[in-house]
Amino acid sequence: EPFLAKHAVSTVVAAQASLPFALAVAAVQGKVDVDSFTEETVADPVIQGLIPKTAVYQDTELMAKVKGSMPSRVTVTTTDGRELSAEVLYPKGNPSNRLTEDEFRGKFMNMVVRVLGEEQATELYDLARGLDGIEDVGELMALVSPRR
């Protein structure tokens, strides 16, 4: 079984290396982010029930369509036999499909607020986004650890 195609998911670490788990979470929760990788989510019977219904494989024809990207295609077969498919050649965040400023800030804040708090995370983000105007990188570095 290829590394990222693992269907046996019983721990958070295993979930982090499983596309079937991520696809099941996306189907159930509508998104996948750092908060999706918890013991509760791993143990969710609905998610666990969807994992064995997924198949992951590398499509060499799809990969050949683009350079510098990891394209993907998802096909869902409904209970009445219809196939619904979507293809993404350049995933969000790829240089050819950049995040908007709001999306970028949202991802940053989602990860950093939990460590630094809202005020310091905002200060760090704003300073880092203006990095070319910083004379002393020590100003930035002073913000990367929680204040005491």
Side-chain angles (χ1 to χ4, degrees):
E1 183 173 59
F3 177 67
L4 292 177
K6 293 190 180 304
H7 285 87
V9 177
S10 59
T11 67
V12 170
V13 172
Q16 291 168 336
S18 171
L19 282 172
F21 175 83
L23 291 167
V25 169
V28 172
Q29 298 180 352
K31 68 175 184 166
V32 181
D33 64 16
V34 69
D35 295 319
S36 302
F37 297 91
T38 65
E39 294 296 337
E40 294 78 19
T41 307
V42 168
D44 184 317
V46 175
I47 291 170
Q48 285 292 330
L50 286 175
I51 292 172
K53 296 179 181 183
T54 62
V56 176
Y57 62 93
Q58 183 173 356
D59 183 334
T60 53
E61 288 180 22
L62 182 63
M63 296 293 286
K65 287 184 176 184
V66 296
K67 297 259 189 269
S69 184
M70 293 293 291
S72 61
R73 179 184 305 116
V74 173
T75 302
V76 175
T77 305
T78 63
T79 55
D80 64 5
R82 291 177 296 135
E83 286 192 351
L84 309 170
S85 189
E87 183 176 287
V88 174
L89 296 178
Y90 298 96
K92 201 66 169 162
N94 180 286
S96 295
N97 188 13
R98 296 189 182 278
L99 297 171
T100 66
E101 183 64 25
D102 286 345
E103 290 167 331
F104 187 77
R105 183 183 185 93
K107 286 188 78 150
F108 177 88
M109 295 300 281
N110 183 44
M111 295 299 294
V112 178
V113 164
R114 61 187 81 221
V115 176
L116 300 180
E118 185 83 29
E119 182 181 329
Q120 188 175 342
T122 299
E123 192 177 345
L124 175 59
Y125 182 86
D126 292 343
L127 194 60
R129 292 304 278 168
L131 187 60
D132 57 344
I134 298 175
E135 290 186 28
D136 179 2
V137 74
E139 294 176 55
L140 184 68
M141 297 310 297
L143 295 171
V144 298
S145 295
R147 294 182 179 129
R148 296 187 189 257

